[in-house]
Amino acid sequence: MSKLLIVGTVAFDAIETPFGKTDKILGGAATYIGLSASQFNIDSSIVSVVGEDFPQEYLDLLKNRNIDVTGTEIVKGGKTFFWSGKYHNDLNSRDTLDTQLNVLADFNPVVPEDFKSPDIVMLGNLHPLVQLSVLEQIERPKLVVLDTMNFWMDNTWDDLMKVIAKVDALTINDEEARQLTNEYSLVKAARKIAEMGPKYVVIKKGEHGALLFHDEKIFFAPALPLEEVFDPTGAGDTFAGGFTGYLAHTGDISFENMKNAVIYGSNLASFCVEKFGTERMQDLSKDDVHERLEEFRALTQFQINLT
Amino acid sequence: MSKLLIVGTVAFDAIETPFGKTDKILGGAATYIGLSASQFNIDSSIVSVVGEDFPQEYLDLLKNRNIDVTGTEIVKGGKTFFWSGKYHNDLNSRDTLDTQLNVLADFNPVVPEDFKSPDIVMLGNLHPLVQLSVLEQIERPKLVVLDTMNFWMDNTWDDLMKVIAKVDALTINDEEARQLTNEYSLVKAARKIAEMGPKYVVIKKGEHGALLFHDEKIFFAPALPLEEVFDPTGAGDTFAGGFTGYLAHTGDISFENMKNAVIYGSNLASFCVEKFGTERMQDLSKDDVHERLEEFRALTQFQINLT
């Protein structure tokens, strides 16, 4: 089976949306990526760090989905990374209420022996030096995908440029793509990003879908129009998990197959937002995903005879 | 040949975008609808009104594209409707600088005899009572499509409800759909609009594409990602012209064929924004449109084998 190496946060989140409020629940980029990718028949491993306060049941939840967590360090006496946020009424923007780095402040990632030759690597949103450290510990995989955010552009620009230069694909949201390139047009932004290193660029537009760029080719995966978005937390990471999980599963990193991968990413993300936190991703079945794939087909496929 | 009856403004526009500024140029909803629909082999007619200041060459331009303008009244001594606007840097929003209703203030539409039994009617953005008056003069066509905007919701709500109740399809932008229904979710908004009358609802999202709703079915036509949007004026009307022109041309108003119609609408709108005003639509060839259709296919069509 293909090996997917995932690096990112495993964390506690406390979320408030117009529909309700949670206590500390399971969160973190790597958690969402891992749960999403576990829909495919692959071996995956999460390199991360948590504190002693992190419940064993959360680690078991990941293990039970065939996710290796031997690379997720448990720091004795340490506290797990915590993020708290409140979404505005339109659910398109949010305020961060609290961020406690805790054990993440001194995170020194260690890739397990079994995953030092992964097929695909998904570098979830983290300090660029942590992402670089992971790449230095492994043999060059078939594909390295990077996710990042504006915080690293604002605070660690040079380090970010170093890691961007080393990856094959970048997933980033539209506002961040504009900030990274100083281009408003996403077509121009993607071209500039490709010049920085990544030959494949995925620009995530939230409820407006995602664009995949490669050379002069473009593919678009819509977001499924939903009656209600309940909690957008983790949707971007779930997208990335679906994207890399599908590519690992199929072993085919051609542009044609990446189209399918972004459709799967969008498919899985459409479930993530239906419930709070990881709740919907935990009870998601293959049948659910296949059924929704048919909805994506109906939503986008057409047969036109030329006029 | 199928007959498409178009009602809407034929006007002067003065436009300012980050790329430049025009004097008074040809504009108006019916103009854009007509030019767009003229890409198809149909008979079309524009019911509208202009002043004596309206250049004969503009009317000839429409006539030369097989658009009947006998229903476009020229008011002796009158002045043509004028709109002036300035787009913001992102081209997603604009300020209206000037609106002079002129001959539009007393517009009393008269449908030419030849078009009193049209196959399809496109009611472009206008006072709802003018739109209603056109419907009263004709035999019930196969399909009536209505376009409107927030101005009529704010000022002529009851009249707007009357015309909405009489049409088969509504094209409207996302913010206006939300205002009309008081629903943020576009899925819920479309359902509420359907309860007002139109069995088909098209929600236009500008650079984010367009959604077609019917019963519980949804289809999505993306906007083509462009390097540069030069001038968005008329894009929504061009979309409506492509939508109704294609439906008139094919004579097939099934949901399956409406999918193709929204793709054609999006296709034609992608040209409209490439130059100022109607410039690009004037020199557009069938080959251009067919070539772009292939771009839409590449952008959206995929072949997934189930995992």
Side-chain angles (χ1 to χ4, degrees):
Chain A
M1 279 205 288
S2 279
K3 285 185 178 178
L4 173 65
L5 178 63
I6 300 162
V7 190
T9 52
V10 173
F12 289 131
D13 285 348
I15 303 161
E16 195 174 337
T17 83
F19 302 104
K21 201 175 160 169
T22 72
D23 289 328
K24 276 188 180 183
I25 58 171
L26 175 61
T31 305
Y32 283 101
I33 294 167
L35 287 175
S36 180
S38 73
Q39 285 294 326
F40 304 97
N41 292 321
I42 56 172
D43 283 327
S44 63
S45 177
I46 290 179
V47 170
S48 192
V49 62
V50 295
E52 214 177 338
D53 56 348
F54 197 73
Q56 184 61 39
E57 59 166 297
Y58 284 169
L59 290 172
D60 290 343
L61 187 158
L62 297 171
K63 276 197 250 182
N64 290 341
R65 306 187 74 97
N66 195 32
I67 302 169
D68 170 273
V69 291
T70 58
T72 300
E73 185 191 353
I74 303 169
V75 177
K76 285 258 162 70
K79 286 183 74 183
T80 301
F81 172 57
F82 171 69
W83 174 82
S84 166
K86 181 177 173 171
Y87 288 87
H88 300 163
N89 276 338
D90 64 6
L91 287 156
N92 274 329
S93 53
R94 68 187 185 191
D95 295 323
T96 289
L97 302 176
D98 195 5
T99 307
Q100 297 172 17
L101 281 185
N102 296 332
V103 294
L104 203 63
D106 307 303
F107 178 33
N108 204 351
V110 179
V111 177
E113 280 305 321
D114 274 2
F115 278 84
K116 289 205 163 165
S117 305
D119 296 282
I120 293 187
V121 176
M122 179 67 228
L123 300 173
N125 176 42
L126 267 179
H127 195 300
L129 291 182
V130 173
Q131 295 173 319
L132 276 171
S133 159
V134 167
L135 292 184
E136 282 158 9
Q137 296 175 49
I138 58 172
E139 279 184 57
R140 189 71 177 84
K142 217 186 267 189
L143 190 81
V144 178
V145 182
L146 175 75
D147 191 51
T148 191
M149 67 182 290
N150 50 357
F151 181 83
W152 310 114
M153 297 176 207
D154 294 334
N155 295 290
T156 63
W157 179 267
D158 292 345
D159 294 330
L160 181 61
M161 286 303 116
K162 277 184 213 152
V163 67
I164 284 185
K166 284 186 189 298
V167 304
D168 305 297
L170 178 69
T171 64
I172 191 170
N173 80 29
D174 44 0
E175 282 319 306
E176 290 159 353
R178 288 175 173 135
Q179 182 178 343
L180 187 60
T181 60
N182 213 14
E183 290 285 357
Y184 184 80
S185 155
L186 298 179
V187 176
K188 288 187 178 174
R191 197 175 293 144
K192 272 204 182 172
I193 292 170
E195 285 165 11
M196 298 174 182
K199 293 182 295 295
Y200 301 90
V201 178
V202 178
I203 299 183
K204 299 173 288 183
K205 305 198 295 170
E207 61 166 325
H208 299 301
L211 287 159
L212 167 67
F213 296 87
H214 175 57
D215 293 336
E216 291 299 302
K217 297 195 282 280
I218 312 180
F219 182 71
F220 177 73
L224 198 75
L226 296 170
E227 279 198 48
E228 210 75 85
V229 168
F230 199 76
D231 171 19
T233 309
D237 298 314
T238 300
F239 176 94
F243 179 68
T244 49
Y246 180 81
L247 292 175
H249 171 86
T250 55
D252 174 359
I253 60 163
S254 68
F255 180 74
E256 280 307 306
N257 197 49
M258 277 200 196
K259 294 180 177 182
N260 301 342
V262 292
I263 292 289
Y264 262 101
S266 197
N267 181 332
L268 287 158
S270 75
F271 288 105
C272 177
V273 303
E274 289 182 346
K275 292 189 180 176
F276 267 124
T278 60
E279 200 182 334
R280 185 68 181 97
M281 299 312 289
Q282 288 182 39
D283 66 17
L284 191 61
S285 74
K286 264 210 161 102
D287 281 350
D288 293 334
V289 178
H290 286 174
E291 206 173 285
R292 194 148 288 184
L293 180 59
E294 294 313 315
E295 291 185 56
F296 273 86
R297 272 197 236 274
L299 184 67
T300 57
Q301 305 302 286
F302 58 83
Q303 295 290 339
I304 290 187
N305 299 316
L306 286 185
T307 53
Chain B
M1 279 204 287
S2 279
K3 286 185 177 176
L4 173 65
L5 178 64
I6 300 162
V7 190
T9 53
V10 172
F12 289 132
D13 286 348
I15 303 162
E16 194 174 338
T17 83
F19 302 104
K21 201 174 162 171
T22 71
D23 289 327
K24 276 189 180 183
I25 58 171
L26 175 61
T31 306
Y32 283 102
I33 294 167
L35 287 175
S36 180
S38 73
Q39 286 294 324
F40 305 96
N41 292 321
I42 56 172
D43 283 326
S44 63
S45 177
I46 290 179
V47 170
S48 191
V49 63
V50 294
E52 214 176 342
D53 58 346
F54 197 72
Q56 184 61 39
E57 62 167 296
Y58 286 169
L59 290 173
D60 290 343
L61 188 157
L62 297 171
K63 277 197 249 181
N64 290 340
R65 307 188 72 98
N66 195 32
I67 302 169
D68 170 273
V69 291
T70 57
T72 299
E73 185 192 353
I74 303 168
V75 177
K76 286 255 162 71
K79 286 184 72 185
T80 302
F81 173 55
F82 172 68
W83 174 82
S84 166
K86 181 178 173 171
Y87 288 87
H88 300 162
N89 276 337
D90 64 5
L91 287 157
N92 274 329
S93 52
R94 69 185 185 191
D95 296 324
T96 289
L97 302 177
D98 195 4
T99 307
Q100 298 172 16
L101 280 185
N102 297 331
V103 294
L104 204 62
D106 306 305
F107 178 34
N108 204 351
V110 179
V111 177
E113 281 303 322
D114 273 3
F115 278 84
K116 290 206 163 167
S117 304
D119 296 282
I120 293 187
V121 175
M122 179 67 227
L123 301 173
N125 176 42
L126 268 180
H127 195 300
L129 290 182
V130 173
Q131 296 173 320
L132 274 172
S133 159
V134 167
L135 292 185
E136 282 157 10
Q137 297 175 47
I138 58 173
E139 277 184 58
R140 189 72 179 86
K142 219 187 264 189
L143 190 82
V144 178
V145 182
L146 175 76
D147 192 50
T148 191
M149 66 181 294
N150 49 358
F151 181 82
W152 310 113
M153 297 176 208
D154 295 334
N155 296 291
T156 61
W157 179 267
D158 292 345
D159 295 329
L160 181 60
M161 286 303 115
K162 277 182 212 153
V163 67
I164 285 185
K166 284 185 188 298
V167 304
D168 305 298
L170 178 69
T171 64
I172 191 170
N173 81 28
D174 45 0
E175 282 320 306
E176 289 159 353
R178 287 175 174 134
Q179 181 178 344
L180 188 61
T181 60
N182 213 14
E183 289 286 354
Y184 183 80
S185 156
L186 298 179
V187 176
K188 288 186 179 175
R191 196 175 294 143
K192 271 203 183 173
I193 292 170
E195 286 164 11
M196 298 174 183
K199 293 181 296 296
Y200 301 89
V201 178
V202 178
I203 299 183
K204 301 174 285 182
K205 305 198 296 170
E207 61 166 325
H208 299 302
L211 287 160
L212 166 68
F213 297 87
H214 175 59
D215 292 338
E216 291 299 302
K217 297 194 283 281
I218 312 179
F219 182 71
F220 177 72
L224 199 73
L226 296 170
E227 278 197 49
E228 210 76 85
V229 168
F230 198 77
D231 171 18
T233 309
D237 298 314
T238 301
F239 177 93
F243 178 67
T244 49
Y246 181 81
L247 292 175
H249 171 85
T250 55
D252 174 358
I253 61 163
S254 67
F255 181 75
E256 280 307 306
N257 197 51
M258 278 199 194
K259 293 180 178 181
N260 301 342
V262 292
I263 292 289
Y264 262 100
S266 197
N267 181 333
L268 287 158
S270 75
F271 289 105
C272 176
V273 303
E274 288 182 345
K275 292 190 180 176
F276 267 123
T278 59
E279 199 182 335
R280 185 66 180 100
M281 298 313 289
Q282 290 183 38
D283 66 16
L284 191 61
S285 74
K286 264 213 161 100
D287 281 352
D288 292 334
V289 178
H290 286 173
E291 208 173 283
R292 193 146 289 182
L293 181 60
E294 294 313 316
E295 292 185 56
F296 272 87
R297 272 197 235 273
L299 184 68
T300 58
Q301 304 302 287
F302 59 83
Q303 293 291 339
I304 290 186
N305 299 315
L306 285 185
T307 54

